[in-house]
Amino acid sequence: MTRLWVDGRDVAEVTVASTWGARARGMLWRRRLPEAMWFVRESSVHGVGMTVPLDVAQLAADGSVLAVHVLRPFGLVAPRPGAVDVLEAPAGSFARWGLAVGGVAQRVPAGTAG
């Protein structure tokens, strides 16, 4: 299990999508959305097939948050210079976690410090 840390605080369990298949599926066709999903080597995402809005953050290689968006169903978050990964979560999650532009997101194995 992997945990998501935001600005040094453990905030959620994160599903890591590091393969082509996992990235292509994303949050589609899930009975229950994951608390968060980290897309490795993706700089943009789309909401085609989604029925609910999602919070989306575009991340630099060091995990710093370059941009934050609300992705509506069938919407698009375009690529952003410097973005290498994307973080998604159900809408409203980022506000609860305090995730904002300039902050830092990290993937941390459960049971270890961030």
Side-chain angles (χ1 to χ4, degrees):
M1 178 171 64
T2 303
R3 300 295 300 172
L4 173 66
W5 286 56
V6 172
D7 296 330
R9 292 175 291 105
D10 183 349
V11 297
E13 183 175 338
V14 63
T15 300
V16 179
S18 59
T19 66
W20 181 89
R23 289 189 302 268
R25 179 178 182 205
M27 290 203 185
L28 289 171
W29 308 300
R30 296 178 185 268
R31 291 184 191 268
R32 185 171 166 257
L33 294 179
E35 288 182 81
M37 182 169 273
W38 189 299
F39 293 81
V40 178
R41 294 181 312 278
E42 288 292 338
S43 63
S44 67
V45 290
H46 64 81
V48 174
M50 292 300 299
T51 58
V52 297
L54 300 172
D55 286 343
V56 173
Q58 291 170 296
L59 308 173
D62 65 357
S64 59
V65 179
L66 302 174
V68 174
H69 313 271
V70 174
L71 176 63
R72 306 274 179 220
F74 291 90
L76 172 71
V77 171
R80 182 176 193 89
V84 298
D85 291 346
V86 170
L87 178 66
E88 289 184 350
S93 298
F94 289 2
R96 273 195 327 278
W97 303 336
L99 187 139
V101 172
V104 177
Q106 295 175 278
R107 294 175 295 164
V108 178
T112 62

